[in-house]
Amino acid sequence: MRRTFAILFLLFAAAALNSQVLEPVTWSFKSEKTGENSYEIVMTAELEEHWHLYAMDIEEGGPIATSFTFEPGEGFTLSGKTLEVTKPEVKFDKSFGMNIGMHSEMAEFRQKVTVAQYPAVVKGYVTFMSCDDKQCLPPRDVDFAVEIKGTAKAVTKPAEKPADKPAAAETPAEPVLQEVTETPVETTIQQGTPVPVLPVETPTEEPKKGFLKFFLLSMLAGFAGVLTPCVFPMIPMTVAFFSQGSDKKGSAIGKALIFGISIILLYSSLGIIVSLTSAGAGFANTLSTHWIPNLLFFILFLVFAASFFGAFEIVMPASWVSSSDSKVDRGGALAAFFLGVTTVLVSFSCTGPIVGALLVEAASGDVLRPTIGMFGFGVAFALPFTLFALFPSMMNKMPKSGGWLNSVKVVLGFIMLAFSLKFASVVDTVYGLGILSRDIYLAIWIVLFFLMGLYLMGRIKFSHDSDVPHIGVFRLVLIIASFTFAIYLVPGLFGAPLTRISALLPPRETSGFNLLKAISENRGGGAVVTTTGGSAICGTPKYSEFLHFEYGLEGYFDLEEGLACARQLNKPVLIDFKGHACANCKEMDARVWSDPEVQRRIRENFVLVGLYVDDRTKLPDSEVFVSKVDGKEKKTMGKKNEDIEISMFNTNTLPLYAIVDPSGTPLIETRGTDFDIQAYIEWLDRGVEAFRNK
């Protein structure tokens, strides 16, 4: 009864607005091929801002759930139930007094179909109810018809069916079909065995997604550079330069702007040089995985940290500074430019390590990152100088120089020392040295951040440090953050995943002691992995002496072995393209593969194959081959796996997850970085279903 009154109330509210026809939901329908004679009808709803669509699964007493009705037809059969691909967001609905799942902006639903003869036309209608924060519209039906012609995809423009069915004399509009032809592609898994591959979706947003985040990080580094003892005291001197010798306010403003722009151009030019000398993705991959650059960066960060601790100063040649400073006396716009140059050179003893660390991080990514990073650093570094030059009265509110400036340097030294281990860990992991395990890595971090907290309390002093007579509010916040982070790291020593920082840490399997794993094995939670068909693997995998899966999962590290086992067990293959130095791969392991339901599905339904594209293990002479992709000889396991990924899926992004049958043919679309656990589970289930319907 409560549900009836609620719906009647919402319908009357909608009827009161009959002077305005609202259509906040637009439906589109298409088909996607997932295997031989296997398709999925993809039904997508796009919603206007502030409107929502109810989920398919609604408790009794709630609103009208979204549902799909398929009409019987010749030439095809439906497989399973309609899947709600987009995970609904659960919110409390005041009208119904309950938590209800709903979709905003976009919702995707899929229905599996097996086609027996072509062409096949899948017809039906969707029933749904849409609301915003103030009103609801009556339940509506939208007709659809999707035609499947062989390997063609058909996209329909829906003909809408009102809530009240039309009279028999009225003829509903016919759906408009638009065909998109799929072209079969051939590729090779290894040394020449052709495998037909379906067009697949590959993640393309990940590299671009980090630009804004990196720009903001670079600006933060620029502000940190200003708050150092060799930069902060220069602000009053530069303001004095713009304040004297000119009675014209406009002239002072012009010179201040030239001064600020000069600093930005100098730092940006440094970024442009690094960008131009970076040879694209190959250069970034070398920096990320090769032992030479990573060892150099490790040493470089140690040197930077020692400099900030006061062991020595990194300075520019005195002749450069003197030459630039001598030109400041000439006056005018040129003097403002050379004052900017002098400021950059003189401050290099403090900003040099920050700039160097930023360029190391930037050069390990997209070719544009160095320029973006240095531009952000230059903007933040120049901003205080320029603002104080434009508004000298702000100087009165500026904090005075003192021992806190040196504290900024020392804190940055602790942070650089901690991050230096990241480069040492890459060398250790990629080359399988087994020196810097996860527990040793975490132990060093715990000590470093504990010492940083003691330093901020004044219990530890470095050269040039002054006494700490009292602790201010901001320093107290930093002390709390340091000790809290150190305590947060402690469970990682015993096997905790530390999900939020997993991208910065070595893999969990490198730990010498994993208490959580030991408890699980003693309880029988993961010591032996079996399936209804026997063991989850068919024998001892190659490279298993130094490569392992987390969470007790078993699998292969060679695609040929994995496919052979899949044929023997009659299972689909889950391929995990990953890297030792891949931050997103570690984060996916920690945030998605740690879920018990994900692990259960992988164990029971798949033969797991992990392919490291950055591993430097040499291939036996008998396995060395010349790639058909680039014509180059592949001599390492990583290069072989990278060639497989490019050949099969035309991408080298990491991580990349693919579900294929025992012959290597993809069953559904690939998947990249996505931390939605439920969506990942549904993707695994669709892969199993596609294999069973094959």
Side-chain angles (χ1 to χ4, degrees):
M1 181 65 69
R2 183 180 183 183
R3 175 183 179 185
T4 304
F5 282 132
I7 293 179
L8 287 175
F9 171 79
L10 294 172
L11 293 182
F12 281 126
L17 300 174
N18 55 9
S19 59
Q20 181 183 7
V21 178
L22 299 176
E23 296 182 355
V25 183
T26 303
W27 286 91
S28 61
F29 307 86
K30 66 179 181 179
S31 68
E32 285 186 3
K33 186 174 183 180
T34 58
E36 186 178 357
N37 298 328
S38 298
Y39 293 81
E40 286 186 351
I41 305 301
V42 183
M43 299 154 288
T44 306
E46 294 185 3
L47 293 91
E48 295 180 1
E49 190 176 4
H50 305 307
W51 285 84
H52 57 262
L53 179 77
Y54 291 110
M56 295 184 65
D57 186 14
I58 300 294
E59 295 182 12
E60 183 67 27
I64 302 298
T66 302
S67 62
F68 296 87
T69 302
F70 291 86
E71 299 177 3
E74 297 181 358
F76 71 91
T77 55
L78 302 179
S79 302
K81 298 181 180 179
T82 304
L83 296 177
E84 194 168 18
V85 177
T86 305
K87 185 178 180 181
E89 183 180 4
V90 179
K91 294 182 179 180
F92 183 78
D93 193 304
K94 296 180 181 178
S95 302
F96 296 95
M98 63 171 61
N99 291 321
I100 300 176
M102 56 188 69
H103 299 283
S104 302
E105 297 183 357
M106 191 276 288
E108 181 180 309
F109 308 85
R110 290 175 177 255
Q111 173 64 53
K112 299 178 177 64
V113 176
T114 301
V115 179
Q117 63 182 37
Y118 299 97
V121 179
V122 180
K123 294 182 179 181
Y125 61 90
V126 53
T127 302
F128 66 98
M129 183 176 178
S130 56
C131 302
D132 65 4
D133 296 335
K134 300 179 180 179
Q135 58 190 320
C136 283
L137 299 181
R140 299 182 62 197
D141 292 339
V142 172
D143 290 321
F144 61 83
V146 180
E147 184 176 10
I148 303 174
K149 293 182 177 180
T151 59
K153 291 180 181 178
V155 182
T156 92
K157 181 179 180 181
E160 296 187 353
K161 181 164 59 177
D164 295 324
K165 297 289 182 178
E170 296 179 355
T171 304
E174 288 294 324
V176 180
L177 300 180
Q178 177 185 356
E179 294 183 1
V180 182
T181 303
E182 294 180 0
T183 304
V185 182
E186 279 202 352
T187 185
T188 59
I189 292 181
Q190 191 185 353
Q191 300 148 14
T193 306
V195 178
V197 184
L198 302 176
V200 292
E201 298 178 3
T202 55
T204 57
E205 298 180 3
E206 197 61 35
K208 297 180 181 179
K209 194 184 296 184
F211 278 163
L212 177 60
K213 183 178 178 181
F214 185 66
F215 177 77
L216 296 176
L217 175 66
S218 302
M219 289 193 68
L220 186 63
F223 287 126
V226 174
L227 300 177
T228 51
C230 46
V231 178
F232 193 81
M234 295 176 62
I235 296 178
M237 293 186 290
T238 56
V239 173
F241 169 81
F242 295 115
S243 303
Q244 65 183 0
S246 178
D247 297 329
K248 297 180 180 179
K249 184 177 180 180
S251 176
I253 293 175
K255 288 194 294 184
L257 291 176
I258 292 174
F259 168 78
I261 294 173
S262 301
I263 293 176
I264 296 173
L265 288 177
L266 285 171
Y267 282 115
S268 297
S269 299
L270 183 59
I272 291 172
I273 292 172
V274 175
S275 291
L276 292 177
T277 54
S278 299
F283 177 79
N285 183 60
T286 301
L287 285 178
S288 299
T289 60
H290 200 279
W291 71 270
I292 294 179
N294 277 284
L295 186 59
L296 288 176
F297 294 155
F298 171 67
I299 296 173
L300 197 61
F301 270 58
L302 292 181
V303 172
F304 290 162
S307 174
F308 276 164
F309 287 147
F312 51 85
E313 286 191 356
I314 303 173
V315 296
M316 286 289 192
S319 58
W320 292 15
V321 180
S322 300
S323 175
S324 175
D325 188 50
S326 64
K327 295 180 175 61
V328 175
D329 298 330
R330 297 182 181 181
L334 190 62
F337 170 76
F338 279 105
L339 181 63
V341 175
T342 304
T343 302
V344 171
L345 295 178
V346 171
S347 64
F348 190 77
S349 60
C350 286
T351 61
I354 302 175
V355 170
L358 201 59
L359 286 174
V360 167
E361 173 62 26
S364 302
D366 192 278
V367 71
L368 294 177
R369 283 168 69 90
T371 301
I372 292 172
M374 286 297 94
F375 177 74
F377 182 92
V379 168
F381 186 82
L383 190 60
F385 287 92
T386 308
L387 286 178
F388 286 124
L390 292 174
F391 308 102
S393 61
M394 296 173 61
M395 287 286 295
N396 298 328
K397 300 179 181 180
M398 189 176 70
K400 304 300 181 183
S401 300
W404 66 274
L405 292 174
N406 194 67
S407 297
V408 173
K409 281 186 64 177
V410 174
V411 168
L412 290 174
F414 276 112
I415 294 174
M416 285 191 175
L417 199 57
F419 275 90
S420 68
L421 294 181
K422 177 176 179 288
F423 302 102
S425 173
V426 169
V427 177
D428 183 80
T429 307
V430 172
Y431 291 88
L433 303 179
I435 300 174
L436 188 59
S437 62
R438 183 186 176 96
D439 41 8
I440 294 177
Y441 186 106
L442 285 171
I444 296 174
W445 268 34
I446 291 170
V447 171
L448 285 175
F449 285 98
F450 184 78
L451 290 177
M452 190 171 86
L454 292 178
Y455 170 78
L456 290 168
M457 293 177 64
R459 303 298 181 182
I460 300 175
K461 288 185 180 180
F462 290 87
S463 60
H464 308 301
D465 272 335
S466 56
D467 292 332
V468 182
H470 64 276
I471 296 176
V473 175
F474 184 69
R475 184 181 285 261
L476 177 63
V477 171
L478 292 179
I479 292 172
I480 294 173
S482 299
F483 285 123
T484 300
F485 187 64
I487 295 173
Y488 168 76
L489 296 173
V490 171
L493 295 173
F494 306 100
L498 302 179
T499 304
R500 297 188 180 278
I501 60 168
S502 57
L504 300 174
L505 305 178
R508 288 205 309 164
E509 61 263 24
T510 63
S511 293
F513 174 65
N514 190 328
L515 180 62
L516 298 181
K517 182 179 179 181
I519 293 174
S520 175
E521 290 179 351
N522 287 335
R523 291 178 178 176
V528 180
V529 179
T530 60
T531 65
T532 55
S535 176
I537 56 176
C538 307
T540 303
K542 290 169 60 176
Y543 312 117
S544 60
E545 63 274 12
F546 62 92
L547 294 178
H548 311 277
F549 290 104
E550 292 203 58
Y551 311 112
L553 295 172
E554 290 186 295
Y556 294 91
F557 305 97
D558 179 85
L559 184 57
E560 308 300 330
E561 272 194 330
L563 294 176
C565 183
R567 288 191 289 269
Q568 182 176 333
L569 300 179
N570 191 31
K571 285 186 174 183
V573 179
L574 173 61
I575 307 177
D576 175 13
F577 291 99
K578 59 199 306 181
H580 295 296
C582 170
N584 283 337
C585 304
K586 297 176 185 177
E587 198 163 358
M588 282 292 292
D589 283 349
R591 294 176 59 176
V592 179
W593 281 37
S594 60
D595 183 79
E597 282 301 308
V598 172
Q599 296 172 27
R600 183 180 66 80
R601 282 166 167 79
I602 294 175
R603 286 191 178 102
E604 295 178 358
N605 301 327
F606 297 94
V607 171
L608 179 60
V609 177
L611 300 181
Y612 286 87
V613 303
D614 59 359
D615 195 278
R616 302 282 171 165
T617 303
K618 297 289 185 182
L619 292 174
D621 291 340
S622 59
E623 295 184 18
V624 174
F625 66 100
V626 176
S627 169
K628 293 187 177 182
V629 175
D630 57 13
K632 296 181 180 179
E633 198 172 46
K634 307 300 177 183
K635 298 181 179 180
T636 65
M637 183 207 306
K639 291 298 182 182
K640 170 187 174 181
N641 293 335
E642 183 182 37
D643 189 74
I644 291 173
E645 183 182 13
I646 296 173
S647 298
M648 294 183 70
F649 304 105
N650 197 32
T651 183
N652 63 349
T653 57
L654 295 178
L656 186 75
Y657 304 96
I659 298 176
V660 302
D661 65 13
S663 67
T665 303
L667 295 170
I668 58 174
E669 77 282 356
T670 57
R671 192 170 186 85
T673 302
D674 186 347
F675 303 122
D676 187 334
I677 295 175
Q678 186 59 38
Y680 198 87
I681 290 174
E682 292 171 358
W683 178 76
L684 292 174
D685 290 343
R686 287 197 293 114
V688 173
E689 188 69 23
F691 177 73
R692 290 172 180 169
N693 295 332
K694 189 173 173 63

